[in-house]
Amino acid sequence: MLGECHGHIILDGTDFKKAIAAHREEPNETIIRNRFQRYKDNGIFFFRDGGDNLGVSERAARIAPEYGIDYRTPVFATHRKGCYGSIVGRSFETISDFALLVEELKKKKADFVKIMVSGIMDFSRFGTITEGALTLAQISEIVHISHSEGFSVMAHVNGAVNIRNALAAGVDSIEHGCYMDDIAIDMLVHSETVWVPTAAAICNVANDPKQRFDQENAAKIAETHFVNIGKAISRGAKMAAGSDAGAYLVPHCDGLRDEIVYFKEIINDDLFCLQLLEKGETIIKEKFRRYHG
């Protein structure tokens, strides 16, 4: 079994509000340990977290070695004030504010920096991304500061223009990457950036039995994502398997299985698929190694 290259140990795959509430007073070690035990039982020994604002992933990083799990975390994600990201991180208004957050991450021994470049998909309106996005100039400064301090940059980003800006700024990974276009794919292929498309988080919504979202639009979004993943793979892009474990309809462990199944459907060559994803995981491990300050 491959490792989980994008997950959230704080979330439960069902109800993010209840999941967060369980840690509101302090990180719930019983929940963390139960999830790690399940990963261990399923032979999954690598987990790259997306961070949170309650100290859960920071606590998890101390516990993970007991289960033999190589756990990486940004501790908390960073986002521009007023934009998407409060669920997983801390906000900044100016680049100087961001630099102060990086100093805090150094003290907390974060493994990498995570930035929220854009919002998420609006499943009721095809092609629409929620809330505002960082500009190319802002992303470039953020990447420069992070790299200068020894951190790789994980970029949550959706929307073709936003993805292009993130790639142009030199982020180390694209997370989600919904609505890529051919220009963005070309930039990705000719970069050192790895794409973690979290297909399970998008495609599972399209197959939601409860139909929580507009199923017609969800299916169209999933189909578009499938096509873009296929284009990127066929042109030699670096890819990794991360399911967004813990997100809605993406249970821990099961989400990674779904992600691999989706990749196999796209590639239709099991051996090549596993080789591609193993290579992607290796790249992720090398790029997002523990910070040594």
Side-chain angles (χ1 to χ4, degrees), residues 250-268:
V250 191
H252 289 283
C253 296
D254 294 339
L256 180 58
R257 291 193 187 92
D258 290 344
E259 189 74 12
I260 295 171
V261 167
Y262 289 133
F263 265 97
K264 287 181 177 180
E265 288 180 9
I266 293 167
I267 297 174
N268 198 28

Side-chain angles (χ1 to χ4, degrees), residues 127-145:
T128 301
I129 302 300
T130 64
E131 301 172 306
L134 296 174
T135 65
L136 172 57
Q138 290 170 327
I139 305 168
S140 296
E141 288 191 77
I142 284 169
V143 170
H144 174 71
I145 291 169

Side-chain angles (χ1 to χ4, degrees), residues 87-120:
I87 185 177
V88 291
R90 303 266 296 277
S91 67
F92 62 89
E93 290 190 74
T94 67
I95 295 300
S96 295
D97 293 337
F98 173 79
L100 291 176
L101 290 178
V102 171
E103 287 299 315
E104 186 174 348
L105 291 175
K106 286 171 62 178
K107 293 176 182 177
K108 290 180 175 293
K109 298 297 180 182
D111 299 313
F112 53 91
V113 167
K114 179 181 180 183
I115 61 171
M116 312 300 280
V117 172
S118 74
I120 58 176

Side-chain angles (χ1 to χ4, degrees), residues 209-220:
K210 295 183 179 179
Q211 298 188 1
R212 177 178 169 185
F213 300 100
D214 183 307
Q215 293 308 107
E216 183 177 348
N217 277 316
K220 191 174 180 181

